[in-house]
Amino acid sequence: MRLYVSGPVTGRPDGNRAAFEEARAALEVAGHDVFVPHDLVLESDTHETAMLICLNELTGRDFFRGQVQPRFNGVALLDWWHVSKGACVERDVAEACGIECRPLRDWL
C-alpha cells in the first residue's frame, strides 16, 4: 500500500521530522510505500505553502488501466495529529476523497 503520513509539524522541534522518519521506517518494514511531507516541503516554506504542496500531493490521482484512482491508499496519522490544524485538514480532505485514514499503529 502507498501511505501518506500526517501529523503535527508547525511549532515542533525540527518540524517533528524524527517522528515522521520513525513512522516511515516502521511502515516500510511493514511493506508499505511511504510519503512524508518533509520529502517536498522546505524548512523555509510558509505554513500556507506547505499546505498547498501537501494537499496537492495528497489529492493527486494516478491512472491505472484507464481508471482514475487516488495516489495514496491511506493516511497514517501520527500521535497528536488532532491538535494540528494542518493534519486535521489533511485528514478531512483525504476522507472526502475516499482515502482511508487510521492511526499509524493500525497500518503496522
Side-chain angles (χ1 to χ4, degrees), residues 2-3 9 12 14 24 29 35-36 52-53 57-58 60 64 67 71 75-76 85 93 95-98 100:
R2 185 139 199 263
L3 299 177
V9 174
R12 301 288 174 115
D14 195 31
R24 182 201 310 264
V29 166
F35 169 83
V36 300
L52 180 63
I53 291 167
E57 181 68 18
L58 179 61
F64 181 72
Q67 294 183 346
R71 182 173 293 150
V75 174
K85 197 174 184 182
V93 168
E95 287 183 345
C97 293
E100 185 176 3

Side-chain angles (χ1 to χ4, degrees), residues 34-87:
V34 182
F35 169 83
V36 300
H38 299 86
D39 292 343
L40 297 177
V41 177
L42 304 175
E43 277 188 49
S44 59
D45 287 333
T46 64
H47 181 263
E48 292 80 8
T49 298
M51 290 306 302
L52 180 63
I53 291 167
C54 290
L55 291 175
N56 275 307
E57 181 68 18
L58 179 61
T59 59
R61 297 289 190 244
D62 291 331
F63 294 92
F64 181 72
R65 297 184 183 167
Q67 294 183 346
V68 178
Q69 57 190 22
R71 182 173 293 150
F72 294 96
N73 304 102
V75 174
L77 300 164
L78 297 181
D79 289 341
W80 298 102
W81 68 270
H82 60 282
V83 300
S84 167
K85 197 174 184 182

